[in-house]
Amino acid sequence: MREKKIIGIAFLTVLLLNVFAKPLCAQNMSLEELVDTSYTILVGIVEKKESVKSKSSMTMVDITTSVILSVEEYLKRDIKISEITISCGGGEWEGERLNVETEARFVVGERCLVFLSKDKRKINIYLVTGGVNGKYTIENDWVINTSRIFYGVDKIPLDHVISKIKEYKR
C-alpha cells in the first residue's frame, strides 16, 4: 500500500512539473516553426544594452534588459525601422545580476540573426521568438548554431540559413 502511495505521489509530481514548469522552459522550435511564428526576422548589430529593475511586484522577473539593434536586413516583414528594441528578462543592474536561462543573450557589437514577435504589452518593443532558440550570433558570415536548430553542425553559412528562411516563409 505504501508503494502505491509513493508511486502515486511521484506520478502527480511529474504531471504537475510537466504542466507548470514547461511554459517556463525555452521552446524547442524548428527553423520552420520559428519562421512561421515570428512577426519579423532580421540580421542586425547590437548597438546598446540597458537593464532596469522593476519596482512592481506584479512582474515575475524584476530585472529586464532592453537591447537596441541596428537593422542590416529584414528577412521577413520589413517594418521599415532602422533600429529595433528587444526586451529580454534578466540582466545586470547596479551590481545585481539575474540570469534567465530561457532568454536570449546579447553582446554589444555582435552581429546576429533574430526571430522576433511583438510585445503585446508595449508598442514598438519586440521579444525573441522561442527565447534562446530565436537568436543566433553571426561570425564571418557563419551562423553559430548555439541552440542546435541544425542538428550535427556547429555553424552554418548565413546565406544557407537565409535561403531556408525565404523557403519557409512562402
Side-chain angles (χ1 to χ4, degrees):
M1 183 68 169
R2 188 163 198 251
E3 272 185 39
K4 286 185 180 180
K5 283 184 180 178
I6 292 172
I7 291 172
I9 290 170
F11 175 76
L12 281 174
T13 303
V14 170
L15 182 66
L16 289 172
L17 281 173
N18 193 32
V19 169
F20 292 109
K22 192 173 184 178
L24 299 176
C25 298
Q27 304 164 2
N28 191 14
M29 302 174 80
S30 69
L31 179 61
E32 188 172 6
E33 289 171 318
L34 280 169
V35 171
D36 286 344
T37 57
S38 295
Y39 178 75
T40 189
I41 304 167
L42 61 93
V43 172
I45 296 176
V46 179
E47 296 294 334
K48 182 179 174 185
K49 277 178 27 170
E50 185 175 356
S51 298
V52 295
K53 185 163 184 162
S54 173
K55 310 265 187 279
S56 169
S57 60
M58 302 283 287
T59 59
M60 289 179 61
V61 177
D62 66 345
I63 297 176
T64 57
T65 300
S66 291
V67 178
I68 308 294
L69 275 176
S70 66
V71 178
E72 285 183 14
E73 177 182 6
Y74 283 99
L75 305 175
K76 177 181 178 182
R77 190 171 283 116
D78 183 346
I79 53 178
K80 313 247 186 278
I81 300 173
S82 62
E83 286 191 337
I84 198 159
T85 303
I86 302 168
S87 180
C88 303
E92 191 169 330
W93 182 81
E94 293 187 1
E96 186 179 342
R97 176 180 291 264
L98 177 64
N99 287 324
V100 180
E101 295 299 318
T102 57
E103 291 281 355
R105 295 187 182 157
F106 293 86
V107 176
V108 173
E110 81 176 325
R111 187 173 180 222
C112 55
L113 165 68
V114 287
F115 297 79
L116 300 173
S117 303
K118 284 183 173 182
D119 186 334
K120 293 179 176 125
R121 300 165 296 162
K122 300 174 187 166
I123 297 172
N124 295 327
I125 303 293
Y126 295 84
L127 305 171
V128 179
T129 306
V132 295
N133 295 314
K135 183 258 177 187
Y136 298 88
T137 300
I138 300 170
E139 294 177 357
N140 300 320
D141 286 331
W142 286 83
V143 176
I144 308 304
N145 192 20
T146 50
S147 74
R148 298 286 183 219
I149 198 163
F150 295 98
Y151 299 102
V153 294
D154 293 328
K155 57 186 180 177
I156 307 100
L158 177 60
D159 59 349
H160 176 74
V161 176
I162 289 172
S163 69
K164 281 293 195 191
I165 289 169
K166 289 178 179 179
E167 176 185 322
Y168 290 143
K169 75 176 190 173
R170 289 185 188 151

